[in-house]
Amino acid sequence: VKTLALDIGATKIAIAILDEDQNIQERLQLPSNMLSSIWQELEPLLKRFDVDRDVDRIGIASAGPIDLSRGSISPVNIPQWRDFPIVDLVKDIFPRKPVGLLGDGTAVALAENKLGAGIGVANMLGVVVSTGIGGGLVLNGKAFHGETGNAALFGHHSIGFNSGIACDCGRIGCLETFARGPKMVEYAINHGWSGGTDFIALAQSARDGNSTALDAIDKGSLALAVGITNVLNIVDIHTVVIGGGVSFAGPIYWDPFLKHFEEERSHAGFLNEVNVYPAKLKADAGLIGASLFVRELAG
Ligand SMILES: [Zn+2]
């Protein structure tokens, strides 16, 4: 049994063929942020997979918001796709084959829960911290989608409604406006740092002892600690798996994050034994989650 999986993110669309054991047999990707018409690039690739690879089902993980009932997606960072009917379009290419759509954060959480850092845990929050902030929940061993597919889209819950800082989504003070990688870089630059333009450079500068870089990462990791604690406060679950490019920076990010998280969670009174794990599946978690989900759908 072969699954074709798509992972539609803010900067790239990954496409892969996975076998029954969720091993990736083939993988390619397109930039999603520089194409005027992404579908014109994507459709011929999918048609080629249909002809050449004889896939049995198709799983799609997408950045939110999504609409499960309509099978459409409106990723915040892909402005040319609004209510984009991805499920119908994919079904046109692969008639009579199961097509599953879920949020990319939910896909990551499901993959980490079944095959990654959260194996054996009934309830967990999966977090992706990179150019955006994504999240997903596994409850009672199953992906929890919410009513529309956007459960735990927690990058867009506000932690600073008095901050005056507008998010790309239009809301004031979203977690993303403080905690995503580019925002930490922007904060550093606004405070006189000139060591580069991306989070990799910022993290290296912090490792080299630059106080502005250290401060920017401290502030960003505090925001994430507040955001994660908010979610745990609401759902009372005690396992968190964190992945995404920012988290892969290692101790320079994790040390301040864990310090702030310990402080934040200590006030809840019931979040006394929380396990926080680094993600294991790295860049392929969304693809694997999409594949696991459509396997579950197909029965
Ligand atoms: Zn927002």
Side-chain angles (χ1 to χ4, degrees), residues 76 155-158 166-177:
V76 172
H156 298 282
H157 86 286
S158 179
C167 181
D168 291 343
C169 76
R171 203 169 182 210
I172 304 297
C174 285
L175 173 60
E176 273 205 10
T177 66

Side-chain angles (χ1 to χ4, degrees), residues 55-94:
V55 300
D56 298 286
R57 53 208 179 198
I58 302 93
I60 306 166
S62 176
I66 66 174
D67 185 333
L68 284 188
S69 63
R70 298 168 64 186
S72 64
I73 61 174
S74 310
V76 172
N77 296 306
I78 309 180
Q80 56 272 56
W81 280 3
R82 287 292 170 266
D83 298 318
F84 185 75
I86 187 99
V87 170
D88 283 348
L89 289 167
V90 169
K91 278 184 171 165
D92 286 345
I93 301 172
F94 302 92

Side-chain angles (χ1 to χ4, degrees), residues 199 203 207 217 244-258 278:
F199 185 76
R207 282 183 211 106
I217 291 175
V246 167
S247 77
F248 303 150
I252 198 69
Y253 184 78
W254 279 86
D255 289 352
F257 166 76
L258 289 172

